[in-house]
Amino acid sequence: MKRVVVLGATGSIGRSTLEVVSRFPDTFKVVGLSARRNVELLAEQAKKFRPEAVAVTEEGALDKLRNLLKDSGIKVLFKEEGLSSLAGELEADIVVNALVGSVGLRPTLAAIEAGRDVALANKETLVMAGELVMRRARERGTRILPVDSEHSAIWQCLRAGRGEEVRRLVLTASGGPFWGKEGLERATPEEVLAHPVWRMGRKVTVDSATMMNKGFEVIEAHWLFDVPVDRIEVVVHPQSVVHSLVEFRDGALIAQLGWPDMRLPIQYALTYPERLPGTWKYLDLVEVGSLRFYRPDTSKFRCLALGYEAAREGGTAPAVLNAADEVAVEAFLEGRISLEEIAKINEATLAQHRNICDPSLEDILEADGWARTAARELIGR
Ligand code: MG
């Protein structure tokens, strides 16, 4: 029996995780769940899965949750400390981190310190602190299991050879709703949020339209698989059927394919190294017919180039880019800046930053705070 904690249980990855878990009741036991503010759904999930503890992070949601779960015997925790308690203090084998934003970093570290494997869907963990997180995981002998579809694909493809035989990683990108179309500059939040292939949270959907998401994924892939940034390539593949590829030194290019469905990578992370049957639609190659790939235009998608730049610089640069982007995306969703200004804010914030090499957690969090203030000032102008 694998004991599972799901952080961010009410979001799209969290809900899919619980769907996977509920199909294998003899394999998994949910011991902890968290949500930001959706206490109704969290209480419903808690009643179904009977975890030992739940946590909610948003101010004002605690009383409501306590009320919904009174007499249930389920412990109710609060705030970011609650997340870290779920990740590090409950008796668990695997922590699924599906939190959105920089709030996901500390719980990942808490899980690692406690010796738990982490199924990681929270991008910020590796974007902000990839070096630190991977080092601590190595020292503690725990595994970081990727949940993102691209990184899961690479992880699966890597089983075809040895680390020293890898020549190149190829990340595929959907290109977002504006691939091959004009009007990116004037796009409204509504247009951007209508992603053609993947149903995701708002932040990552906007990041997908600017390709910032892919820039972050390059940084994550660099840390997860210990491959130099310049051997990680991005190709646009609007169909999102090939989830990513690995090229070995003899030129063999290994790909993982499937219809876009997050349940497969989630299930693979939970059952690794085993594979269990899926409930989703299996890929029919004839139905797909043809596969198309394009080189991304980094002068149009500046955020992708910024991702590479920050990855090459290392240190606190990726954390700064991440923080600036969170502020800029929020401003875009509130109608205060245009889509194209997101890249400008990100670039200007990064340019003002004094990078710190081999940063500690404190350095990273300080850089994160600095970048938020700097980005807000730039937006205010
Ligand atoms: Mg992805």
Side-chain angles (χ1 to χ4, degrees):
M1 203 70 161
K2 268 191 188 170
R3 295 167 61 89
V4 185
V5 171
V6 184
L7 304 178
T10 57
S12 71
I13 299 286
R15 291 195 311 266
S16 296
T17 302
L18 291 177
E19 198 187 317
V20 167
V21 162
S22 66
R23 284 194 54 230
F24 305 105
D26 301 329
T27 308
F28 301 111
K29 162 91 183 97
V30 175
V31 295
L33 293 170
S34 89
R36 192 166 54 163
R37 59 165 162 245
N38 190 346
V39 287
E40 286 83 9
L41 181 56
L42 182 64
E44 204 180 290
Q45 292 172 336
K47 283 172 186 163
K48 181 173 175 198
F49 291 96
R50 310 295 312 164
E52 289 163 23
V54 295
V56 73
T57 49
E58 201 167 275
E59 209 80 50
L62 179 66
D63 288 342
K64 206 167 169 192
L65 183 62
R66 278 206 177 117
N67 203 29
L68 288 166
L69 291 179
K70 69 168 183 282
D71 308 323
S72 69
I74 298 168
K75 197 149 86 176
V76 178
L77 304 168
F78 185 41
K79 283 202 182 166
E80 294 189 26
E81 300 84 74
L83 297 177
S84 291
S85 305
L86 287 187
E89 287 166 26
L90 290 179
E91 193 69 44
D93 301 294
I94 186 162
V95 174
V96 179
N97 185 342
L99 297 166
V100 177
S102 54
V103 70
L105 174 56
R106 280 181 191 277
T108 299
L109 287 167
I112 292 170
E113 296 310 323
R116 316 276 183 257
D117 285 342
V118 181
L120 191 63
N122 172 259
K123 304 207 164 235
E124 289 75 9
T125 289
L126 289 178
V127 172
M128 292 175 73
E131 192 171 6
L132 183 79
V133 165
M134 295 310 284
R135 188 175 59 229
R136 283 308 289 153
R138 264 194 311 276
E139 287 165 358
R140 296 288 298 137
T142 65
R143 296 179 299 189
I144 306 294
L145 313 167
V147 168
D148 204 355
S149 61
E150 294 82 355
H151 302 96
S152 176
I154 288 172
W155 188 37
Q156 294 175 58
C157 296
L158 284 171
R159 290 178 81 172
R162 288 201 303 268
E164 68 269 26
E165 295 166 345
V166 172
R167 183 166 172 269
R168 188 165 69 107
L169 306 182
V170 182
L171 284 168
T172 54
S174 72
F178 293 95
W179 179 257
K181 289 186 201 151
E182 297 299 314
L184 184 70
E185 312 76 32
R186 295 174 303 277
T188 63
E190 292 69 35
E191 288 168 322
V192 170
L193 291 175
H195 194 280
V197 184
W198 296 101
R199 294 262 154 274
M200 308 174 290
R202 287 155 62 90
K203 165 72 167 50
V204 60
T205 305
V206 177
D207 282 344
S208 158
T210 61
M211 290 191 81
M212 187 68 262
N213 182 51
K214 213 49 57 178
F216 289 147
E217 288 180 358
V218 168
I219 300 171
E220 290 180 86
H222 164 62
W223 292 120
L224 267 174
F225 306 116
D226 195 22
V227 169
V229 178
D230 294 315
R231 289 204 273 135
I232 304 173
E233 194 184 316
V234 170
V235 293
V236 175
H237 170 50
Q239 295 153 298
S240 298
V241 165
V242 177
H243 298 308
S244 279
L245 313 88
V246 174
E247 186 179 71
F248 290 92
R249 62 186 173 200
D250 57 359
L253 193 57
I254 310 291
Q256 188 251 323
L257 286 73
W259 294 119
D261 192 320
M262 284 309 294
R263 289 173 297 177
L264 190 152
I266 290 167
Q267 181 169 300
Y268 187 71
L270 289 174
T271 63
Y272 174 85
E274 279 177 66
R275 286 182 186 273
L276 295 180
T279 46
W280 39 86
K281 190 179 167 206
Y282 286 19
L283 187 69
D284 180 339
L285 283 172
V286 175
E287 196 179 324
V288 176
S290 66
L291 296 167
R292 315 287 310 202
F293 300 91
Y294 308 88
R295 216 167 290 290
D297 175 358
T298 45
S299 62
K300 183 175 170 194
F301 294 99
R302 276 299 300 156
C303 286
L304 178 59
L306 292 176
Y308 273 99
E309 263 171 48
R312 277 188 206 105
E313 274 182 47
T316 42
V320 164
L321 179 59
N322 172 71
D325 185 65
E326 263 186 49
V327 171
V329 168
E330 200 178 285
F332 167 70
L333 288 172
E334 289 167 359
R336 290 187 283 128
I337 62 171
S338 70
L339 191 69
E340 131 188 275
E341 280 170 316
I342 294 174
K344 290 183 179 151
I345 299 295
N346 291 352
E347 185 157 23
T349 308
L350 205 52
Q352 285 177 20
H353 177 59
R354 276 241 191 95
N355 201 4
I356 300 171
C357 293
D358 194 15
S360 65
L361 179 62
E362 287 66 38
D363 294 332
I364 290 164
L365 296 174
E366 204 175 300
D368 173 277
W370 172 87
R372 281 168 207 273
T373 309
R376 277 193 199 103
E377 275 171 18
L378 286 163
I379 291 165
R381 265 182 227 160

